[in-house]
Amino acid sequence: MPGALAAIADPAVRAAYREWLLRIADDELVIGHRHSEWTGFGPDIESDVAMSSIAQEELGHGRAWYEQIAADDGGDADRLAFGRAPDEYRHAALLEQENGGWEYSMIRLMLYEAFEIGRLRLVAASGHEPVAGLAQTLSREERYHGLFADTWLTRLAGAAPGGPERIQAALDRAWPDALGLFESTAADEVLQRAGVLQSSPSAEREAWVATVRPVLERYGLAVPSGAGAREGGRRGVHTAAFEPLLAQLTEVWKSDPEARW
Amino acid sequence: MPETTPAAPEDPEVLAEFTARVRAGEQIEAGEWVPEEYRFEALRLINMHANSEIMGALPEREWIPRAPGLARKMALTAKVQDEVGHGMLLYRVAETLGRSRDEMIAELVAGRARFHNVFHYPAETWADVAIIQVFVDGAAMQTQGALRSCSYAPYARVLKRICYEEDFHIQLGLDVWRALAEGTPAQRAMLQDALCRWWTPIMHFFGMLDRVSPHTEKMLAWRIKVKSNEELRQQFLRKFVPIILEYGLDVPDPNLRWAEDEQRYVYTEPDWEELKRVGRNGGPKSAERLALRQRFHAQHAWVREAMSRWRARADGAVA
C-alpha cells in the first residue's frame, strides 16, 4: 500500500513531509527503547508490566510510521530503524536521555505525551491518508500513557517524603530538552506554506506550555523559567546519551544486516 | 525460605479426611483448612515459582535493548512482561497461604530465597533467547503443565493461564530458533554454542531422581507433586530432542540415546554438585543478578514509601 508521501506531487513538500514523519518515528523508537529498559526493574510488579506495555506501544507506533515512510522509499521499517548513521536520526534530545530515577521517566512521559497528543492532532488534521487515520488511532493509546504518568506524579508529589523536590529536579533537567521537541527546521516552513500543517512549532509550543503548566502546578511544581530549549535533535545533532543507545540498539542487527534475524 | 512454624497438633481423623478428599481428586480453595505441612510445602513451591518468574525476567531482558528488529524487540518485551506478570499472579496465590508479597520480595532481594537453577546462568548471545524460550520455557512447561492438576485450586487456575502463555513463548522461541538454524553459518554456530552452554542447566532443571521416601509419597498423595522428576525429564526429552535433530544440530550429550527396550532416553548423569551450589545462589550470575535487584529495590524505596503513604491516606479517607 502506498504511504501518504506518494500523493504529494511537489518533491520539496514530499521531502519535508518525509523528514517530519521521520521525527515522529524516531521519537517513538527512542522513547520505546528507553521505556523498555524498565522491563524487569519497575518500582513494583504492576508498574513494571504497565511500562512494558507502554514501551511496546511506542515501538509499535514507531514501526507504523517507519512503514509509512518505507512504503515510498521502497525500503523496510527495520532498515530505517536500525540501519542509519547517528546524524540521520531526527528525534529530540528528551527521548534519548537515560532513564535515571522513576520520577524522571514519569516527568518525561508526561511532558512527551502532552506534546505527542498535539502533534498527532496536527497529522490527523492534515487530511493526508492513511497517516491522518493512523494519527487518530494512535492518539487513543497515547492518552493512556499520559494518564499513567499523571497517576504516578500525583502520588510521588503528594505522598513521598522529599517527593516534590525530587520531581522538581527531574523537571528542571527535562525542561530544556522538552522545549527542544519544538525545534523548527526548514521542513516546518515548507509544510506550513504548502498547507499540510495548520500550525507552527512556536504556536504548538505555546499551546503545550498552556497545557502542561497547570498540571505541573497541580503537582506543586514550578515551571522552570529562563531555561532555553536544547535543540539539535531535529537536525541530527544528538547528545552524548545517543551514541551508546544506538550502539546497543543495533548491536545484533548490524552484526549482519543482510541476515534474517 | 519460609520459616517453619511449629506444627499444631492435628486431629488424625480430620487429617485422614483431608487426605482422602485430595486423593479422590478434590481441590482445596483458598481459606479452607489444610494441614500445616501441606500449607508449608505448597507455599514453598509457589513462592519459589513466583521468585523464579521475577528472576527469570533478568537474563532475557538483557537482550531487549539489543533485539535485532522492531518485531523482535516488541515481542521480547512482551515475553518478559508475561513472566513478570506471572510473578504477580503467583505472589497473589502465595499470599493466600499466609505470607505477604512484600515479605517474599524482600527475602528474594536479600538473597535468602531460592529461584530456579536456570536463572543463575548468563545469557551470552542473541541465540540464548531462542534457547531460553524453547528449551527453558519448554522444561518449565512440563513441570507446570503437570501441576495444573495439583490439589491447590488457586495455583491450578493460575497455572492454566501461565501454561497457555508459556506455550506461546515456545512458539515465539521456535521462530527465533528457525531464523538462526536456517540462517548464516555464523548464526547456526551461535545457536549450537548456546544450546551446548544451556544443556546441563536444563537437565538439572528437573532435579535429581526422587528418593523413595515417606515425604515424597505424601507430596504425591496430596498432589503438591504430580509427577516424578525423572518422568518430567523424560517427557521433556521426548518432545525437545527431536527439535534439535530436525534442524541438524548436535545434542550436546554424546551419550544421549533412545533406549527402545526401556522406552526412555539414556543420558549422561549431570554433575549434581553444581545444581546444589547453584540452588544456594552460588551460580555464575547469582550474585550479579541479586545485586541488580538490590540496586533497583533500594533506588525505588522512596517510591514504595510514597505508595504506602498514599494508600494509608486513601484508607483513612474511606474510614
Side-chain angles (χ1 to χ4, degrees), chain A residues 33 37 39-41 46 49 53 56 78 158-159 249 251 260-261, chain B residues 61 65-66 70 72-73 78 81 101 187 293 300 302-303 309 313:
Chain A
H33 178 91
E37 289 178 330
T39 298
F41 293 131
E46 287 80 354
V49 169
S53 285
Q56 286 164 62
D78 277 354
L249 175 77
E251 182 188 311
R260 192 178 88 77
W261 289 100
Chain B
R61 76 160 299 293
R66 295 179 274 184
L70 292 164
R72 292 280 186 234
K73 195 176 180 75
Q81 177 187 37
R101 193 209 292 192
Q187 286 176 312
R293 278 264 162 266
H300 293 316
W302 75 281
V303 179
R309 285 185 187 212
R313 201 186 301 168

PDB file of all heavy atoms in Angstrom, chain A residues 33 37 39-41 46 49 53 56 78 158-159 249 251 260-261, chain B residues 61 65-66 70 72-73 78 81 101 187 293 300 302-303 309 313:
ATOM      1  N   HIS A  33      12.522   2.452  23.292  1.00  0.00           N
ATOM      2  CA  HIS A  33      13.745   1.782  23.740  1.00  0.00           C
ATOM      3  C   HIS A  33      14.012   2.099  25.212  1.00  0.00           C
ATOM      4  O   HIS A  33      14.272   1.207  26.019  1.00  0.00           O
ATOM      5  CB  HIS A  33      14.918   2.232  22.861  1.00  0.00           C
ATOM      6  CG  HIS A  33      16.238   1.653  23.261  1.00  0.00           C
ATOM      7  ND1 HIS A  33      16.712   0.472  22.729  1.00  0.00           N
ATOM      8  CD2 HIS A  33      17.175   2.075  24.141  1.00  0.00           C
ATOM      9  CE1 HIS A  33      17.897   0.200  23.270  1.00  0.00           C
ATOM     10  NE2 HIS A  33      18.195   1.158  24.131  1.00  0.00           N
ATOM     11  N   GLU A  37      13.686  -0.360  28.836  1.00  0.00           N
ATOM     12  CA  GLU A  37      14.766  -0.628  29.803  1.00  0.00           C
ATOM     13  C   GLU A  37      14.213  -0.802  31.222  1.00  0.00           C
ATOM     14  O   GLU A  37      14.911  -1.301  32.102  1.00  0.00           O
ATOM     15  CB  GLU A  37      15.797   0.515  29.783  1.00  0.00           C
ATOM     16  CG  GLU A  37      16.624   0.515  28.512  1.00  0.00           C
ATOM     17  CD  GLU A  37      17.622   1.666  28.468  1.00  0.00           C
ATOM     18  OE1 GLU A  37      17.352   2.747  29.055  1.00  0.00           O
ATOM     19  OE2 GLU A  37      18.667   1.503  27.855  1.00  0.00           O
ATOM     20  N   THR A  39      11.653  -2.696  31.812  1.00  0.00           N
ATOM     21  CA  THR A  39      11.091  -4.050  31.893  1.00  0.00           C
ATOM     22  C   THR A  39      11.956  -4.903  32.825  1.00  0.00           C
ATOM     23  O   THR A  39      13.144  -5.065  32.584  1.00  0.00           O
ATOM     24  CB  THR A  39      11.009  -4.683  30.484  1.00  0.00           C
ATOM     25  OG1 THR A  39      10.130  -3.888  29.697  1.00  0.00           O
ATOM     26  CG2 THR A  39      10.465  -6.120  30.553  1.00  0.00           C
ATOM     27  N   GLY A  40      11.349  -5.391  33.880  1.00  0.00           N
ATOM     28  CA  GLY A  40      12.091  -6.169  34.875  1.00  0.00           C
ATOM     29  C   GLY A  40      12.565  -5.345  36.055  1.00  0.00           C
ATOM     30  O   GLY A  40      12.962  -5.907  37.070  1.00  0.00           O
ATOM     31  N   PHE A  41      12.509  -4.032  35.932  1.00  0.00           N
ATOM     32  CA  PHE A  41      13.068  -3.186  37.003  1.00  0.00           C
ATOM     33  C   PHE A  41      12.121  -2.094  37.495  1.00  0.00           C
ATOM     34  O   PHE A  41      12.552  -1.107  38.080  1.00  0.00           O
ATOM     35  CB  PHE A  41      14.371  -2.531  36.538  1.00  0.00           C
ATOM     36  CG  PHE A  41      15.490  -3.508  36.320  1.00  0.00           C
ATOM     37  CD1 PHE A  41      16.243  -3.476  35.150  1.00  0.00           C
ATOM     38  CD2 PHE A  41      15.794  -4.461  37.278  1.00  0.00           C
ATOM     39  CE1 PHE A  41      17.282  -4.378  34.936  1.00  0.00           C
ATOM     40  CE2 PHE A  41      16.819  -5.371  37.079  1.00  0.00           C
ATOM     41  CZ  PHE A  41      17.573  -5.328  35.905  1.00  0.00           C
ATOM     42  N   GLU A  46       3.249  -4.317  39.147  1.00  0.00           N
ATOM     43  CA  GLU A  46       2.186  -3.776  38.292  1.00  0.00           C
ATOM     44  C   GLU A  46       2.728  -2.691  37.362  1.00  0.00           C
ATOM     45  O   GLU A  46       2.381  -2.649  36.176  1.00  0.00           O
ATOM     46  CB  GLU A  46       1.052  -3.211  39.159  1.00  0.00           C
ATOM     47  CG  GLU A  46       0.196  -4.274  39.843  1.00  0.00           C
ATOM     48  CD  GLU A  46       0.825  -4.856  41.118  1.00  0.00           C
ATOM     49  OE1 GLU A  46       1.995  -4.521  41.429  1.00  0.00           O
ATOM     50  OE2 GLU A  46       0.156  -5.652  41.805  1.00  0.00           O
ATOM     51  N   VAL A  49       4.864  -4.148  34.576  1.00  0.00           N
ATOM     52  CA  VAL A  49       4.033  -4.682  33.496  1.00  0.00           C
ATOM     53  C   VAL A  49       3.468  -3.531  32.649  1.00  0.00           C
ATOM     54  O   VAL A  49       3.487  -3.583  31.413  1.00  0.00           O
ATOM     55  CB  VAL A  49       2.890  -5.559  34.090  1.00  0.00           C
ATOM     56  CG1 VAL A  49       1.853  -5.912  33.030  1.00  0.00           C
ATOM     57  CG2 VAL A  49       3.464  -6.828  34.709  1.00  0.00           C
ATOM     58  N   SER A  53       4.081  -2.420  28.549  1.00  0.00           N
ATOM     59  CA  SER A  53       3.030  -2.196  27.549  1.00  0.00           C
ATOM     60  C   SER A  53       3.243  -0.868  26.848  1.00  0.00           C
ATOM     61  O   SER A  53       3.103  -0.769  25.627  1.00  0.00           O
ATOM     62  CB  SER A  53       1.644  -2.187  28.208  1.00  0.00           C
ATOM     63  OG  SER A  53       1.259  -3.493  28.531  1.00  0.00           O
ATOM     64  N   GLN A  56       6.023  -1.217  24.392  1.00  0.00           N
ATOM     65  CA  GLN A  56       5.619  -1.939  23.171  1.00  0.00           C
ATOM     66  C   GLN A  56       4.783  -1.058  22.265  1.00  0.00           C
ATOM     67  O   GLN A  56       4.897  -1.112  21.045  1.00  0.00           O
ATOM     68  CB  GLN A  56       4.794  -3.173  23.530  1.00  0.00           C
ATOM     69  CG  GLN A  56       5.612  -4.297  24.111  1.00  0.00           C
ATOM     70  CD  GLN A  56       4.710  -5.308  24.791  1.00  0.00           C
ATOM     71  OE1 GLN A  56       3.879  -5.927  24.160  1.00  0.00           O
ATOM     72  NE2 GLN A  56       4.875  -5.472  26.084  1.00  0.00           N
ATOM     73  N   ASP A  78      12.608  -1.958   9.466  1.00  0.00           N
ATOM     74  CA  ASP A  78      13.799  -2.307  10.250  1.00  0.00           C
ATOM     75  C   ASP A  78      15.046  -1.593   9.743  1.00  0.00           C
ATOM     76  O   ASP A  78      15.892  -1.171  10.524  1.00  0.00           O
ATOM     77  CB  ASP A  78      14.034  -3.825  10.219  1.00  0.00           C
ATOM     78  CG  ASP A  78      13.176  -4.543  11.261  1.00  0.00           C
ATOM     79  OD1 ASP A  78      12.508  -3.857  12.058  1.00  0.00           O
ATOM     80  OD2 ASP A  78      13.188  -5.789  11.268  1.00  0.00           O
ATOM     81  N   GLY A 158       2.559  13.995  45.999  1.00  0.00           N
ATOM     82  CA  GLY A 158       1.634  14.202  47.106  1.00  0.00           C
ATOM     83  C   GLY A 158       1.944  13.401  48.350  1.00  0.00           C
ATOM     84  O   GLY A 158       1.491  13.759  49.435  1.00  0.00           O
ATOM     85  N   ALA A 159       2.695  12.318  48.221  1.00  0.00           N
ATOM     86  CA  ALA A 159       2.831  11.451  49.395  1.00  0.00           C
ATOM     87  C   ALA A 159       4.261  11.044  49.730  1.00  0.00           C
ATOM     88  O   ALA A 159       4.494  10.464  50.779  1.00  0.00           O
ATOM     89  CB  ALA A 159       1.989  10.189  49.192  1.00  0.00           C
ATOM     90  N   LEU A 249      21.222  -0.648  20.573  1.00  0.00           N
ATOM     91  CA  LEU A 249      20.015  -0.932  19.775  1.00  0.00           C
ATOM     92  C   LEU A 249      20.337  -1.763  18.541  1.00  0.00           C
ATOM     93  O   LEU A 249      19.595  -2.669  18.169  1.00  0.00           O
ATOM     94  CB  LEU A 249      19.361   0.394  19.361  1.00  0.00           C
ATOM     95  CG  LEU A 249      18.149   0.330  18.429  1.00  0.00           C
ATOM     96  CD1 LEU A 249      16.902  -0.086  19.200  1.00  0.00           C
ATOM     97  CD2 LEU A 249      17.905   1.673  17.733  1.00  0.00           C
ATOM     98  N   GLU A 251      23.299  -3.444  17.870  1.00  0.00           N
ATOM     99  CA  GLU A 251      24.435  -4.364  18.021  1.00  0.00           C
ATOM    100  C   GLU A 251      24.267  -5.683  17.244  1.00  0.00           C
ATOM    101  O   GLU A 251      25.132  -6.055  16.452  1.00  0.00           O
ATOM    102  CB  GLU A 251      24.639  -4.648  19.516  1.00  0.00           C
ATOM    103  CG  GLU A 251      25.809  -5.559  19.818  1.00  0.00           C
ATOM    104  CD  GLU A 251      25.840  -5.962  21.287  1.00  0.00           C
ATOM    105  OE1 GLU A 251      25.730  -5.062  22.153  1.00  0.00           O
ATOM    106  OE2 GLU A 251      25.955  -7.165  21.575  1.00  0.00           O
ATOM    107  N   ARG A 260      18.565 -12.778   8.072  1.00  0.00           N
ATOM    108  CA  ARG A 260      17.222 -12.739   8.651  1.00  0.00           C
ATOM    109  C   ARG A 260      17.378 -13.119  10.124  1.00  0.00           C
ATOM    110  O   ARG A 260      17.962 -14.151  10.453  1.00  0.00           O
ATOM    111  CB  ARG A 260      16.305 -13.740   7.941  1.00  0.00           C
ATOM    112  CG  ARG A 260      14.841 -13.566   8.283  1.00  0.00           C
ATOM    113  CD  ARG A 260      13.978 -14.545   7.508  1.00  0.00           C
ATOM    114  NE  ARG A 260      13.823 -15.824   8.181  1.00  0.00           N
ATOM    115  CZ  ARG A 260      13.014 -16.038   9.226  1.00  0.00           C
ATOM    116  NH1 ARG A 260      12.298 -15.061   9.734  1.00  0.00           N
ATOM    117  NH2 ARG A 260      12.930 -17.238   9.784  1.00  0.00           N
ATOM    118  N   TRP A 261      16.901 -12.255  10.980  1.00  0.00           N
ATOM    119  CA  TRP A 261      17.078 -12.493  12.418  1.00  0.00           C
ATOM    120  C   TRP A 261      15.810 -13.012  13.037  1.00  0.00           C
ATOM    121  O   TRP A 261      15.690 -13.252  14.178  1.00  0.00           O
ATOM    122  CB  TRP A 261      17.530 -11.219  13.120  1.00  0.00           C
ATOM    123  CG  TRP A 261      18.938 -10.891  12.765  1.00  0.00           C
ATOM    124  CD1 TRP A 261      19.358  -9.973  11.843  1.00  0.00           C
ATOM    125  CD2 TRP A 261      20.130 -11.474  13.325  1.00  0.00           C
ATOM    126  NE1 TRP A 261      20.734  -9.952  11.785  1.00  0.00           N
ATOM    127  CE2 TRP A 261      21.229 -10.864  12.683  1.00  0.00           C
ATOM    128  CE3 TRP A 261      20.363 -12.463  14.284  1.00  0.00           C
ATOM    129  CZ2 TRP A 261      22.548 -11.207  12.988  1.00  0.00           C
ATOM    130  CZ3 TRP A 261      21.671 -12.802  14.592  1.00  0.00           C
ATOM    131  CH2 TRP A 261      22.750 -12.188  13.936  1.00  0.00           C
TER     132      TRP A 261
ATOM    133  N   ARG B  61      15.808 -10.097  29.608  1.00  0.00           N
ATOM    134  CA  ARG B  61      15.636  -8.661  29.422  1.00  0.00           C
ATOM    135  C   ARG B  61      16.936  -7.993  28.939  1.00  0.00           C
ATOM    136  O   ARG B  61      16.900  -6.950  28.321  1.00  0.00           O
ATOM    137  CB  ARG B  61      15.095  -7.986  30.686  1.00  0.00           C
ATOM    138  CG  ARG B  61      16.127  -7.801  31.773  1.00  0.00           C
ATOM    139  CD  ARG B  61      15.742  -6.737  32.782  1.00  0.00           C
ATOM    140  NE  ARG B  61      15.570  -5.417  32.216  1.00  0.00           N
ATOM    141  CZ  ARG B  61      16.545  -4.677  31.700  1.00  0.00           C
ATOM    142  NH1 ARG B  61      17.792  -5.120  31.666  1.00  0.00           N
ATOM    143  NH2 ARG B  61      16.299  -3.487  31.226  1.00  0.00           N
ATOM    144  N   PRO B  65      17.176  -4.507  24.754  1.00  0.00           N
ATOM    145  CA  PRO B  65      17.783  -3.336  24.096  1.00  0.00           C
ATOM    146  C   PRO B  65      18.518  -3.685  22.806  1.00  0.00           C
ATOM    147  O   PRO B  65      18.767  -2.822  21.985  1.00  0.00           O
ATOM    148  CB  PRO B  65      18.770  -2.801  25.136  1.00  0.00           C
ATOM    149  CG  PRO B  65      18.480  -3.493  26.400  1.00  0.00           C
ATOM    150  CD  PRO B  65      17.746  -4.757  26.077  1.00  0.00           C
ATOM    151  N   ARG B  66      18.885  -4.967  22.651  1.00  0.00           N
ATOM    152  CA  ARG B  66      19.718  -5.351  21.500  1.00  0.00           C
ATOM    153  C   ARG B  66      18.983  -6.235  20.501  1.00  0.00           C
ATOM    154  O   ARG B  66      19.590  -6.754  19.565  1.00  0.00           O
ATOM    155  CB  ARG B  66      20.955  -6.101  22.030  1.00  0.00           C
ATOM    156  CG  ARG B  66      21.844  -5.198  22.865  1.00  0.00           C
ATOM    157  CD  ARG B  66      23.030  -5.925  23.412  1.00  0.00           C
ATOM    158  NE  ARG B  66      22.726  -6.598  24.673  1.00  0.00           N
ATOM    159  CZ  ARG B  66      23.612  -7.250  25.403  1.00  0.00           C
ATOM    160  NH1 ARG B  66      24.855  -7.346  24.983  1.00  0.00           N
ATOM    161  NH2 ARG B  66      23.267  -7.820  26.533  1.00  0.00           N
ATOM    162  N   LEU B  70      12.454  -4.538  14.870  1.00  0.00           N
ATOM    163  CA  LEU B  70      11.368  -3.962  15.672  1.00  0.00           C
ATOM    164  C   LEU B  70      10.417  -5.042  16.184  1.00  0.00           C
ATOM    165  O   LEU B  70      10.000  -5.011  17.341  1.00  0.00           O
ATOM    166  CB  LEU B  70      10.602  -2.928  14.836  1.00  0.00           C
ATOM    167  CG  LEU B  70      11.404  -1.661  14.502  1.00  0.00           C
ATOM    168  CD1 LEU B  70      10.731  -0.879  13.371  1.00  0.00           C
ATOM    169  CD2 LEU B  70      11.560  -0.784  15.730  1.00  0.00           C
ATOM    170  N   ARG B  72      11.059  -8.210  16.740  1.00  0.00           N
ATOM    171  CA  ARG B  72      11.743  -8.988  17.780  1.00  0.00           C
ATOM    172  C   ARG B  72      11.779  -8.207  19.090  1.00  0.00           C
ATOM    173  O   ARG B  72      11.634  -8.767  20.169  1.00  0.00           O
ATOM    174  CB  ARG B  72      13.169  -9.324  17.355  1.00  0.00           C
ATOM    175  CG  ARG B  72      13.253 -10.290  16.190  1.00  0.00           C
ATOM    176  CD  ARG B  72      13.043 -11.730  16.641  1.00  0.00           C
ATOM    177  NE  ARG B  72      13.261 -12.674  15.555  1.00  0.00           N
ATOM    178  CZ  ARG B  72      12.372 -13.586  15.172  1.00  0.00           C
ATOM    179  NH1 ARG B  72      11.198 -13.686  15.790  1.00  0.00           N
ATOM    180  NH2 ARG B  72      12.646 -14.411  14.192  1.00  0.00           N
ATOM    181  N   LYS B  73      12.020  -6.914  18.984  1.00  0.00           N
ATOM    182  CA  LYS B  73      12.134  -6.084  20.187  1.00  0.00           C
ATOM    183  C   LYS B  73      10.786  -6.012  20.919  1.00  0.00           C
ATOM    184  O   LYS B  73      10.725  -6.159  22.141  1.00  0.00           O
ATOM    185  CB  LYS B  73      12.594  -4.682  19.757  1.00  0.00           C
ATOM    186  CG  LYS B  73      13.107  -3.790  20.877  1.00  0.00           C
ATOM    187  CD  LYS B  73      13.605  -2.474  20.268  1.00  0.00           C
ATOM    188  CE  LYS B  73      14.146  -1.514  21.298  1.00  0.00           C
ATOM    189  NZ  LYS B  73      15.469  -1.888  21.806  1.00  0.00           N
ATOM    190  N   ALA B  78       7.290  -8.046  25.280  1.00  0.00           N
ATOM    191  CA  ALA B  78       6.015  -8.656  25.672  1.00  0.00           C
ATOM    192  C   ALA B  78       6.238  -9.971  26.408  1.00  0.00           C
ATOM    193  O   ALA B  78       5.555 -10.287  27.376  1.00  0.00           O
ATOM    194  CB  ALA B  78       5.150  -8.889  24.440  1.00  0.00           C
ATOM    195  N   GLN B  81       7.547  -9.306  29.826  1.00  0.00           N
ATOM    196  CA  GLN B  81       6.393  -8.750  30.549  1.00  0.00           C
ATOM    197  C   GLN B  81       5.469  -9.872  31.054  1.00  0.00           C
ATOM    198  O   GLN B  81       4.974  -9.829  32.177  1.00  0.00           O
ATOM    199  CB  GLN B  81       5.623  -7.827  29.606  1.00  0.00           C
ATOM    200  CG  GLN B  81       4.348  -7.237  30.188  1.00  0.00           C
ATOM    201  CD  GLN B  81       3.549  -6.472  29.135  1.00  0.00           C
ATOM    202  OE1 GLN B  81       3.499  -6.879  27.970  1.00  0.00           O
ATOM    203  NE2 GLN B  81       2.956  -5.371  29.529  1.00  0.00           N
ATOM    204  N   ARG B 101       3.361 -10.325  50.031  1.00  0.00           N
ATOM    205  CA  ARG B 101       4.231 -10.152  48.873  1.00  0.00           C
ATOM    206  C   ARG B 101       5.494  -9.362  49.252  1.00  0.00           C
ATOM    207  O   ARG B 101       6.596  -9.725  48.849  1.00  0.00           O
ATOM    208  CB  ARG B 101       3.479  -9.417  47.763  1.00  0.00           C
ATOM    209  CG  ARG B 101       4.218  -9.492  46.428  1.00  0.00           C
ATOM    210  CD  ARG B 101       3.964  -8.315  45.520  1.00  0.00           C
ATOM    211  NE  ARG B 101       2.603  -8.262  45.007  1.00  0.00           N
ATOM    212  CZ  ARG B 101       2.244  -7.447  44.013  1.00  0.00           C
ATOM    213  NH1 ARG B 101       3.131  -6.684  43.413  1.00  0.00           N
ATOM    214  NH2 ARG B 101       1.000  -7.398  43.617  1.00  0.00           N
ATOM    215  N   GLN B 187      25.239 -17.663  12.323  1.00  0.00           N
ATOM    216  CA  GLN B 187      24.024 -17.756  13.146  1.00  0.00           C
ATOM    217  C   GLN B 187      23.827 -19.176  13.678  1.00  0.00           C
ATOM    218  O   GLN B 187      23.478 -19.378  14.841  1.00  0.00           O
ATOM    219  CB  GLN B 187      22.798 -17.316  12.330  1.00  0.00           C
ATOM    220  CG  GLN B 187      22.736 -15.802  12.112  1.00  0.00           C
ATOM    221  CD  GLN B 187      21.573 -15.399  11.231  1.00  0.00           C
ATOM    222  OE1 GLN B 187      21.360 -15.994  10.174  1.00  0.00           O
ATOM    223  NE2 GLN B 187      20.811 -14.396  11.644  1.00  0.00           N
ATOM    224  N   ARG B 293      18.946  -6.553  41.415  1.00  0.00           N
ATOM    225  CA  ARG B 293      17.662  -6.467  42.118  1.00  0.00           C
ATOM    226  C   ARG B 293      17.774  -5.537  43.324  1.00  0.00           C
ATOM    227  O   ARG B 293      16.905  -4.720  43.571  1.00  0.00           O
ATOM    228  CB  ARG B 293      17.230  -7.851  42.605  1.00  0.00           C
ATOM    229  CG  ARG B 293      16.565  -8.676  41.554  1.00  0.00           C
ATOM    230  CD  ARG B 293      15.032  -8.558  41.639  1.00  0.00           C
ATOM    231  NE  ARG B 293      14.402  -9.003  40.413  1.00  0.00           N
ATOM    232  CZ  ARG B 293      14.054  -8.211  39.414  1.00  0.00           C
ATOM    233  NH1 ARG B 293      14.248  -6.910  39.483  1.00  0.00           N
ATOM    234  NH2 ARG B 293      13.499  -8.696  38.333  1.00  0.00           N
ATOM    235  N   HIS B 300      14.192   2.371  44.466  1.00  0.00           N
ATOM    236  CA  HIS B 300      12.743   2.601  44.478  1.00  0.00           C
ATOM    237  C   HIS B 300      12.163   2.685  45.893  1.00  0.00           C
ATOM    238  O   HIS B 300      10.939   2.765  46.033  1.00  0.00           O
ATOM    239  CB  HIS B 300      12.021   1.477  43.737  1.00  0.00           C
ATOM    240  CG  HIS B 300      12.274   1.430  42.256  1.00  0.00           C
ATOM    241  ND1 HIS B 300      12.276   2.554  41.467  1.00  0.00           N
ATOM    242  CD2 HIS B 300      12.507   0.393  41.421  1.00  0.00           C
ATOM    243  CE1 HIS B 300      12.523   2.192  40.202  1.00  0.00           C
ATOM    244  NE2 HIS B 300      12.670   0.899  40.153  1.00  0.00           N
ATOM    245  N   TRP B 302      11.933   5.004  48.086  1.00  0.00           N
ATOM    246  CA  TRP B 302      11.092   6.190  48.332  1.00  0.00           C
ATOM    247  C   TRP B 302       9.789   6.135  47.531  1.00  0.00           C
ATOM    248  O   TRP B 302       8.764   6.655  47.973  1.00  0.00           O
ATOM    249  CB  TRP B 302      11.870   7.479  48.038  1.00  0.00           C
ATOM    250  CG  TRP B 302      12.056   7.768  46.570  1.00  0.00           C
ATOM    251  CD1 TRP B 302      12.958   7.211  45.731  1.00  0.00           C
ATOM    252  CD2 TRP B 302      11.289   8.685  45.779  1.00  0.00           C
ATOM    253  NE1 TRP B 302      12.817   7.721  44.463  1.00  0.00           N
ATOM    254  CE2 TRP B 302      11.803   8.640  44.468  1.00  0.00           C
ATOM    255  CE3 TRP B 302      10.231   9.562  46.046  1.00  0.00           C
ATOM    256  CZ2 TRP B 302      11.296   9.419  43.421  1.00  0.00           C
ATOM    257  CZ3 TRP B 302       9.729  10.338  45.003  1.00  0.00           C
ATOM    258  CH2 TRP B 302      10.259  10.257  43.715  1.00  0.00           C
ATOM    259  N   VAL B 303       9.835   5.454  46.388  1.00  0.00           N
ATOM    260  CA  VAL B 303       8.626   5.302  45.574  1.00  0.00           C
ATOM    261  C   VAL B 303       7.636   4.377  46.297  1.00  0.00           C
ATOM    262  O   VAL B 303       6.432   4.658  46.360  1.00  0.00           O
ATOM    263  CB  VAL B 303       8.970   4.756  44.170  1.00  0.00           C
ATOM    264  CG1 VAL B 303       7.723   4.562  43.325  1.00  0.00           C
ATOM    265  CG2 VAL B 303       9.960   5.680  43.466  1.00  0.00           C
ATOM    266  N   ARG B 309       2.151   5.433  51.755  1.00  0.00           N
ATOM    267  CA  ARG B 309       1.547   6.602  52.402  1.00  0.00           C
ATOM    268  C   ARG B 309       0.262   7.014  51.702  1.00  0.00           C
ATOM    269  O   ARG B 309      -0.706   7.410  52.340  1.00  0.00           O
ATOM    270  CB  ARG B 309       2.518   7.785  52.383  1.00  0.00           C
ATOM    271  CG  ARG B 309       3.623   7.640  53.393  1.00  0.00           C
ATOM    272  CD  ARG B 309       4.479   8.880  53.435  1.00  0.00           C
ATOM    273  NE  ARG B 309       5.623   8.664  54.291  1.00  0.00           N
ATOM    274  CZ  ARG B 309       6.190   9.613  55.007  1.00  0.00           C
ATOM    275  NH1 ARG B 309       5.730  10.854  54.954  1.00  0.00           N
ATOM    276  NH2 ARG B 309       7.219   9.351  55.762  1.00  0.00           N
ATOM    277  N   ARG B 313      -3.419   7.034  53.351  1.00  0.00           N
ATOM    278  CA  ARG B 313      -4.243   8.234  53.357  1.00  0.00           C
ATOM    279  C   ARG B 313      -5.620   7.942  52.740  1.00  0.00           C
ATOM    280  O   ARG B 313      -6.647   8.354  53.261  1.00  0.00           O
ATOM    281  CB  ARG B 313      -3.546   9.345  52.562  1.00  0.00           C
ATOM    282  CG  ARG B 313      -4.058  10.719  52.918  1.00  0.00           C
ATOM    283  CD  ARG B 313      -3.451  11.770  52.018  1.00  0.00           C
ATOM    284  NE  ARG B 313      -1.990  11.794  52.106  1.00  0.00           N
ATOM    285  CZ  ARG B 313      -1.235  12.474  51.243  1.00  0.00           C
ATOM    286  NH1 ARG B 313      -1.785  13.124  50.232  1.00  0.00           N
ATOM    287  NH2 ARG B 313       0.065  12.483  51.368  1.00  0.00           N
TER     288      ARG B 313
END
